[in-house]
Amino acid sequence: MRYRQQRFGTLECHVVDGFTHEHPPELGAVFCHGFGAPGSDLAPLAQAILQAQPELSERVQFLFPEAPLNLADLGMPGGRAWWPLSLQKVHAQLSAGRIHEVRETIPEGIDEARNALRDAIDAWRKAAGLELERVVLGGFSQGAMITLELTAALETYPAGLIVLSGTLIRETAWRQGFARKHGLPVLQTHGRYDMVLPYLGGAWLREILEEAAVDLRFFDFAGGHEIPWEALEEVGRFLLQRITTGG
């Protein structure tokens, strides 16, 4: 595996691929980490995905951006976030039946995070020689939400979208954004016993995506807030399909 850390735009990023010699990637895959995780948290996924789908080894370059907020002052040294998050508040809203508040939440700082992520991806794409239609956007937990936010805002299509244990927020804007993404390949995974971002939120998101007529593959599993091996196998197949089908 080849690994390097490099700054793109305003974000520190980790670039990983399985290339044995220098050549342009056929596909790029971006994975954004969750709330409180270190910026390198998801980088080991590259090797696991290539192990699950060896055909990708000389074809895909992975980008793992670090979220812009440092959480050291909150007692989480090394932890980072795309925007401030209170899971306690979300759970309280759900317990009180204030579902609309959860679904329409517009987190403070999400616009700035989206723009920083877009600029980082654009700078990396130019360096790698990749057009947006050859890039799959993805993430886990809060990282899934920021990539949903970015994809909804884009005027053009990426190669695909991978949502690992994400949930629905900013419903009106996402409905409008994904209504313009008819046929976009999307892989969504969620644990049925997720106690961090409950399965219900994933089900809400699934409904929005199905109504938008994206090309959705929904994979649930008997687990919690995690990325099990079965989900990584789904990710590997999804990335290979983006290459072999041309989109």
Side-chain angles (χ1 to χ4, degrees):
M1 297 293 293
R2 302 193 312 173
Y3 168 88
R4 73 177 186 274
Q5 188 169 344
Q6 185 172 345
R7 192 173 187 86
F8 290 108
T10 61
L11 301 183
E12 291 295 328
C13 299
H14 305 264
V15 183
V16 185
D17 59 52
F19 297 173
T20 56
H21 59 280
E22 206 61 51
H23 62 84
E26 294 180 50
L27 188 74
V30 178
F31 288 94
C32 298
H33 65 80
F35 179 85
S40 60
D41 182 57
L42 294 185
L45 286 187
Q47 186 168 1
I49 292 168
L50 296 183
Q51 181 180 348
Q53 194 61 256
E55 291 183 66
L56 296 172
S57 294
E58 292 282 346
R59 309 173 83 173
V60 178
Q61 186 171 92
F62 297 85
L63 182 75
F64 300 94
E66 296 194 4
L69 300 184
N70 188 327
L71 300 180
D73 291 344
L74 298 179
M76 303 174 69
R80 307 195 70 83
W82 297 96
W83 61 82
L85 176 64
S86 172
L87 289 173
Q88 292 85 351
K89 179 180 178 181
V90 173
H91 292 162
Q93 289 170 320
L94 289 172
S95 298
R98 303 198 306 271
I99 293 174
H100 178 74
E101 293 179 17
V102 178
R103 294 171 68 120
E104 280 293 358
T105 296
I106 303 176
E108 181 179 353
I110 192 173
D111 292 338
E112 293 82 357
R114 180 195 65 231
N115 292 338
L117 178 60
R118 182 194 59 214
D119 291 347
I121 292 172
D122 285 348
W124 164 68
R125 287 197 302 102
K126 291 176 183 176
L130 285 164
E131 297 297 328
L132 182 61
E133 57 265 28
R134 302 310 308 149
V135 174
V136 173
L137 303 178
F140 172 71
S141 193
Q142 192 186 51
M145 287 181 265
I146 192 60
T147 46
L148 281 156
E149 168 71 14
L150 175 58
T151 304
L154 289 171
E155 294 299 323
T156 54
Y157 282 41
L161 174 65
I162 297 175
V163 181
L164 305 172
S165 298
T167 196
L168 178 64
I169 58 173
R170 209 167 192 174
E171 180 175 1
T172 298
W174 286 9
R175 278 185 181 275
Q176 294 172 349
F178 280 98
R180 302 190 299 269
K181 305 296 188 303
H182 179 83
L184 172 70
V186 179
L187 171 64
Q188 181 188 0
T189 75
H190 212 108
R192 294 191 293 275
Y193 310 114
D194 193 330
M195 301 297 289
V196 178
L197 293 178
Y199 187 81
L200 176 62
W204 291 341
L205 177 60
R206 178 184 183 178
E207 292 174 3
I208 297 299
L209 294 172
E210 288 177 338
E211 290 172 10
V214 302
D215 182 10
L216 177 65
R217 162 71 171 129
F218 182 82
F219 175 76
D220 61 1
F221 55 90
H225 199 63
E226 59 189 296
I227 310 174
W229 178 253
E230 307 95 290
L232 287 178
E233 290 180 317
E234 292 288 336
V235 170
R237 282 190 285 268
F238 184 83
L239 292 177
L240 185 60
Q241 287 169 356
R242 306 286 67 78
I243 294 174
T244 57
T245 64

